[in-house]
Amino acid sequence: MKRTILSFFLLLVSLVSSADDGHLLWLGNSISGNACKVTAPTSESPTLAIAKAELERGWQGNAVSLELDSTLDFGDGFRLKGGEQPTVSASSELGLLYGAYALLRIQNSNKQVRDCTEHPEFTVRMLNHWDNLDGSVERGYAGQSIWKWEEISNGEMSNSLKERLAIYARANASVGINGTVLNNVNANPRILTRRYLEKLKVFADFLRPYGIKVYLSVNFASPMALGDTRTADPLNKSVKRWWSKKAEEIYSLISDFGGFLVKANSEGQPGPGDYHRTHVDGANMLADALSPYGGYVIWRSFVYGANHKGEDRVMQAVSEFKSQDGAFRDNVILQSKNGPLDFQPREPYAPIFDQIKHTTQFAELQITQEYLGQSRHLVYLAPMWKELFSYVNPSTLKGVAGVANTGDDTNWCGHPFSQANWYAFGRLAWNPNLSAEEIADEWLRQTFDTKEAKFIESVREMMMTSRETCVNYMMPLGLHHIFSFDHHYGPEPDGFKAEYPLEWCPVYYHKADSMGVGFDRTVATGSGATAQYRQPYADKYERLSTCPEEYLLWFHHVPWSYTMRSGHTLWQEMCLKYNLGVAMVETYRNYWSTGARSYIDSERWQQVDSLLQVQLDNAREWRKVCLEYFQTFSGQPILKY
């Protein structure tokens, strides 16, 4: 055990190097060069060893005290006490680790340590990696998978993989992320073979001291796909037996395995519906297999086109699951995207959070910017997630899952500022009451080695306005899903391909014609989607006069001549929004090229500068393509900028 502690400490020390390439994420400034004395309980725990090592090499004061206090009932939480010798108290060693990182975050954000108590809002705070066994990453924009399965043999990782994953583990622990799903929801059945489960054990053992449990996405038809059964019918005895034995095998290797994430009967994935069974039948069968070991079945509600063909796609999750609410086992969790469609730059909140009352729920957020410029655009997502929590009370959720944006690029996320979204997800998963601005400020001060207020304030403003800017140059006023079919990057408002389902086609969503534009989802004349919302939102969205303008074309087909609150017509307002989006990116580009250069390292400055030019070119393309296309219906001149 002592050797284990030493190896963790040496591994941490080996990570000390230049942060100019961004590979240390927001932990690059957690190296003080000061020999801090850390008083801690006598323990051979790797978790406590990590907490001590982090403080010994990162805390700039002379001494810190870590104290276990069994009278504190904080779970993962901790208590901080400031002063000449700060103290971290917690009822668990994991709480002490989180408290140690909190001290470093406070210090490296140029704040003072004040007496406080913290504990996480959500029980489960996890990343969902859409990584494939061949090393590719679905919706990944930062290189290949970080899970180098081929670099594990005989129960050992390569040293390079250890060093890389130590940074990943530290980063997650520093913001309180406590779970990770290693593989794509479009899961390869081979992940459940003994070969991969033994490798999974190596990952689990490595991540455990940082408080991170491992989970797996599973293909519902795995027993049949692997040739062990003739069917995947969840009511078949041989299928039930297979899953029970598989759970027993997994937990014999990994006693704290978190559970299964399942995408079933969605986008071609197999599921219980293939056998005329319900989601309850499928989820409960898996839940029964995991229940003896305390594992969860996390069942995604992203299901459309299976049993409700022809229905408005944004309504199908509620239609599919509401009637089954309350019939799921206690260890089944329904995981739903923040919006009812598919991670668009702006969506109203998903009404399934209103309609499901008796089943535990997770909110699924997308950290990787699938529809928001991917890793080529600077788009800070915390304001989007704060928008969700203004409608969905966090206390009604057991956890949050973030679709990860990591890859094997040197800086992990492709765009240096995409790191901020990983950081922000973790901070909001710990405390959804934090402001997006406060989180941006923390990240900037920890990531870039500068204390210049002018730089921090200017770049923080870039971050805070960037999501609204993206909405404006892509799909303002409630427009949605007008991306290129093949890669979800770039505009294609005229998109229609006969081989695709209609609900994948942009023309299905904007419904532009000579009269106006937008999707009528009212009860009175449209699809009736407004009725799925609780009051007062159902009535508010139903009426054109009260619908928030940011959702206007989501819920209504609006005449081009309709008078907006600004006094402009809808067409004029659309032109102005696209122009504003482009103008804001021009502002970012100009500031970064001139005002930011002297404050940060040249490597990251150059990368961001180049990417902002890409973003500006893309924003101009969005404006040109969309306005010229919609002009063919409006018949009105495009307002010049």
Side-chain angles (χ1 to χ4, degrees):
M1 181 61 74
K2 288 182 179 179
R3 182 175 297 176
T4 300
I5 298 172
L6 180 61
S7 67
F8 271 101
F9 177 77
L10 292 176
L11 185 56
L12 288 168
V13 171
S14 74
L15 299 174
V16 178
S17 64
S18 170
D20 288 358
D21 59 9
H23 82 284
L24 290 181
L25 301 158
W26 50 90
L27 299 170
N29 294 331
S30 292
I31 305 163
S32 72
N34 180 53
C36 173
K37 179 180 179 181
V38 180
T39 304
T42 302
S43 171
E44 296 189 337
S45 158
T47 298
L48 189 57
I50 294 167
K52 289 179 61 180
E54 291 282 18
L55 290 171
E56 285 171 347
R57 76 191 188 97
W59 185 250
Q60 294 174 9
N62 294 321
V64 179
S65 179
L66 300 175
E67 297 180 355
L68 284 172
D69 187 342
S70 60
T71 66
L72 301 177
D73 186 22
F74 297 156
D76 289 349
F78 55 85
R79 183 173 63 198
L80 297 183
K81 185 176 181 181
E84 189 69 24
Q85 180 175 327
T87 300
V88 181
S89 302
S91 59
S92 69
E93 292 179 344
L94 182 57
L96 294 180
L97 179 63
Y98 289 149
Y101 282 121
L103 276 182
L104 293 172
R105 177 172 60 248
I106 292 167
Q107 168 189 272
N108 296 331
S109 299
N110 300 322
K111 298 178 182 177
Q112 295 295 317
V113 179
R114 303 184 186 280
D115 295 358
C116 66
T117 298
E118 288 194 24
H119 55 83
E121 175 72 33
F122 299 110
T123 303
V124 181
R125 310 171 297 279
M126 65 158 53
L127 295 179
N128 289 180
H129 290 272
W130 286 1
D131 295 29
N132 299 311
L133 294 183
D134 65 2
S136 63
V137 182
E138 186 167 344
R139 308 307 176 196
Y141 312 107
Q144 294 289 95
S145 173
I146 64 173
W147 312 110
K148 308 295 183 183
W149 298 90
E150 70 280 5
E151 293 187 25
I152 298 177
S153 61
N154 300 319
E156 290 289 336
M157 289 185 194
S158 68
N159 286 335
S160 61
L161 183 57
K162 284 182 182 179
E163 291 181 8
R164 182 73 169 172
L165 291 187
I167 301 172
Y168 171 85
R170 293 176 66 221
N172 284 331
S174 75
V175 291
I177 292 171
N178 66 353
T180 186
V181 183
L182 273 68
N183 63 314
N184 193 355
V185 290
N186 299 319
N188 188 323
R190 289 190 297 122
I191 196 72
L192 290 176
T193 61
R194 184 73 181 192
R195 175 191 175 197
Y196 282 101
L197 292 179
E198 289 179 348
K199 292 173 183 282
L200 180 68
K201 179 185 186 303
V202 178
F203 285 128
D205 291 345
F206 187 86
L207 296 173
R208 186 176 296 111
Y210 295 89
I212 303 169
K213 286 187 177 183
V214 298
Y215 298 70
L216 285 179
S217 293
V218 296
N219 184 302
F220 190 80
S222 290
M224 183 171 65
L226 294 173
D228 296 333
T229 64
R230 295 182 178 180
T231 179
D233 184 346
L235 301 189
N236 182 277
K237 290 183 180 179
S238 64
V239 173
K240 291 182 179 180
R241 188 162 50 248
W242 188 93
W243 283 106
S244 292
K245 288 184 177 179
K246 185 57 64 175
E248 181 181 15
E249 179 184 9
I250 293 171
Y251 281 95
S252 71
L253 295 169
I254 307 166
S255 62
D256 59 350
F257 177 70
F260 297 146
L261 174 63
V262 188
K263 177 181 179 180
N265 290 126
S266 177
E267 298 183 327
Q269 291 298 306
D274 299 346
Y275 306 93
H276 306 290
R277 310 301 188 191
T278 67
H279 293 288
V280 167
D281 294 330
N284 285 354
M285 180 270 293
L286 294 175
D288 289 343
L290 295 177
S291 181
Y293 314 100
Y296 294 127
V297 173
I298 306 165
W299 196 269
R300 294 178 86 231
S301 73
F302 183 60
V303 175
Y304 62 92
N307 298 318
H308 300 275
K309 294 183 185 297
E311 184 180 39
D312 182 356
R313 179 172 157 183
V314 305
M315 300 175 67
Q316 292 185 37
V318 170
S319 298
E320 192 86 2
F321 287 94
K322 184 177 180 180
S323 64
Q324 301 176 58
D325 186 24
F328 292 98
R329 299 283 192 265
D330 289 344
N331 60 324
V332 173
I333 297 166
L334 197 61
Q335 181 166 301
S336 300
K337 294 185 178 184
N338 60 290
L341 186 54
D342 190 15
F343 297 132
Q344 299 298 290
R346 170 166 281 128
E347 300 186 36
Y349 74 95
I352 196 169
F353 294 117
D354 290 343
Q355 298 296 331
I356 299 299
K357 306 290 188 182
H358 308 290
T359 305
T360 303
Q361 294 194 77
F362 281 1
E364 181 178 306
L365 313 176
Q366 192 180 55
I367 307 171
T368 193
Q369 297 163 227
E370 178 180 356
Y371 294 99
L372 292 103
Q374 299 173 8
S375 283
R376 284 169 275 190
H377 292 200
L378 191 165
V379 184
Y380 176 53
L381 299 181
M384 173 193 287
W385 301 332
K386 289 291 292 183
E387 206 169 89
L388 171 69
F389 292 133
S390 72
Y391 292 99
V392 178
N393 188 334
S395 67
T396 64
L397 304 172
K398 187 179 183 70
V400 286
V403 181
N405 64 347
T406 53
D408 66 1
D409 281 4
T410 298
N411 74 354
W412 292 89
C413 302
H415 198 304
F417 277 81
S418 293
Q419 295 179 359
N421 293 326
W422 179 5
Y423 180 86
F425 169 79
R427 292 294 283 139
L428 287 173
W430 183 273
N431 182 3
N433 294 315
L434 291 171
S435 72
E437 187 172 33
E438 179 180 0
I439 294 169
D441 190 89
E442 288 179 358
W443 179 80
L444 281 168
R445 292 178 185 277
Q446 293 175 88
T447 301
F448 297 105
D449 189 17
T450 179
K451 295 180 174 61
E452 290 292 337
K454 183 177 180 180
F455 172 82
I456 298 295
E457 291 168 5
S458 298
V459 179
R460 185 178 63 215
E461 185 64 17
M462 285 172 54
M463 293 173 67
M464 288 300 299
T465 57
S466 62
R467 185 277 184 120
E468 197 67 30
T469 292
C470 180
V471 170
N472 284 337
Y473 66 69
M474 285 187 178
M475 290 169 289
L477 302 173
L479 285 171
H480 50 287
H481 215 288
I482 57 176
F483 293 85
S484 170
F485 277 100
D486 298 325
H487 42 67
H488 297 178
Y489 186 88
E492 196 173 68
D494 60 343
F496 177 84
K497 293 185 180 180
E499 64 268 29
Y500 284 100
L502 182 61
E503 63 266 26
W504 287 7
C505 299
V507 295
Y508 169 79
Y509 292 101
H510 63 66
K511 300 188 184 301
D513 56 27
S514 61
M515 300 299 294
V517 63
F519 199 126
D520 184 353
R521 292 191 164 103
T522 66
V523 173
T525 57
S527 71
T530 57
Q532 291 188 341
Y533 288 89
R534 71 181 188 269
Q535 296 294 357
Y537 302 112
D539 288 346
K540 191 174 185 179
Y541 297 154
E542 175 75 12
R543 295 191 298 272
L544 182 60
S545 61
T546 59
C547 183
E549 289 188 344
E550 61 265 29
Y551 303 134
L552 194 66
L553 304 183
W554 184 284
F555 288 111
H556 297 273
H557 190 78
V558 183
W560 296 110
S561 59
Y562 176 77
T563 302
M564 305 290 285
R565 290 175 192 136
S566 64
H568 300 123
T569 65
L570 171 64
W571 171 249
Q572 291 169 337
E573 191 78 4
M574 185 182 292
C575 292
L576 291 170
K577 290 290 187 182
Y578 276 106
N579 288 336
L580 178 59
V582 173
M584 288 298 289
V585 182
E586 289 173 339
T587 300
Y588 303 158
R589 177 79 171 82
N590 291 338
Y591 169 73
W592 192 265
S593 295
T594 57
R597 188 165 196 165
S598 61
Y599 295 119
I600 66 169
D601 56 274
S602 60
E603 184 171 347
R604 283 184 292 181
W605 177 86
Q606 182 61 62
Q607 186 179 11
V608 173
D609 190 61
S610 298
L611 287 167
L612 283 172
Q613 183 59 54
V614 171
Q615 185 171 358
L616 179 55
D617 293 341
N618 291 167
R620 289 168 174 165
E621 179 188 9
W622 271 95
R623 176 178 63 186
K624 175 180 170 59
V625 170
C626 292
L627 289 181
E628 289 182 356
Y629 172 77
F630 288 123
Q631 185 191 35
T632 65
F633 298 98
S634 75
Q636 299 177 41
I638 296 173
L639 295 187
K640 299 300 181 182
Y641 44 90

